[in-house]
Amino acid sequence: DGGITQSPKYLFRKEGQNVTLSCEQNLNHDAMYWYRQDPGQGLRLIYYSQIVNDFQKGDIAEGYSVSREKKESFPLTVTSAQKNPTAFYLCASSMVASPNQPQHFGDGTRLSIL
Amino acid sequence: GQSLEQPSEVTAVEGAIVQINCTYQTSGFYGLSWYQQHDGGAPTFLSYNALDGLEETGRFSSFLSRSDSYGYLLLQELQMKDSASYFCAVGVGNQGGKLIFGQGTELSVKP
């Protein structure tokens, strides 16, 4: 079955540590996205990529970094510069980077601070 | 700036009809989408409106009025499994597939 796989499901970060969240899709989609969701809140865009080897900052990119070296993969690194990283992180993809394209989401990664 | 407003909570009974409203303020508007998210899960796409009017998909319908910067999601014949959070999201032109999400409406369906 085609879909988006995020791992791990739960992740714990120590102070001063960088952690990387994995996102893989086998839908052959060009566009991929990373969102952050805080309790009782909507989704906020961290980074997005319209095509391989290209990505743009979203609304809350500070303290995060991404890469898009392969079409299938869009990992997100939460750096130590992100002072409040505890949140639910969702990865999504769409066929092309257009607002009229449905975004397909993974099951998310919950990140907590130790 | 860009903002969306939707009610934080709605309660309805099984079999009823419920409407979840969404008003938005944005530049470069490029359509209104709706997503459903069950507790702790992955959001799933429900509908997209680019033009004024009503789009119907089974028990769910979505409406858009661009002149009023307003849309709604209509859920008919409510079932217990419809209990979830519903998010409206506006597309922003010239910024790839960027969506701005509302804060979500938690729908509780009672027996």
Side-chain angles (χ1 to χ4, degrees), chain B residues 14-97:
Chain B
E14 231 177 339
I17 299 173
V18 72
Q19 179 174 311
I20 299 173
N21 298 321
C22 176
T23 58
Y24 60 86
Q25 196 171 18
T26 184
S27 56
F29 176 82
Y30 199 104
L32 183 70
S33 299
W34 288 91
Y35 285 79
Q36 178 193 60
Q37 184 182 34
H38 285 96
D39 192 32
T44 56
F45 171 80
L46 292 177
S47 68
Y48 172 77
N49 294 66
L51 303 175
D52 288 358
L54 192 68
E55 295 279 346
E56 298 181 68
T57 309
R59 294 188 296 115
F60 293 4
S61 303
S62 57
F63 172 83
L64 176 65
S65 169
R66 295 172 67 122
S67 59
D68 295 323
S69 297
Y70 163 77
Y72 65 73
L73 180 69
L74 190 73
L75 297 83
Q76 302 183 74
E77 300 172 20
L78 280 174
Q79 302 175 9
M80 298 295 288
K81 68 178 182 179
D82 296 329
S83 292
S85 291
Y86 293 84
F87 296 88
C88 57
V90 295
V92 181
N94 297 322
Q95 294 191 46

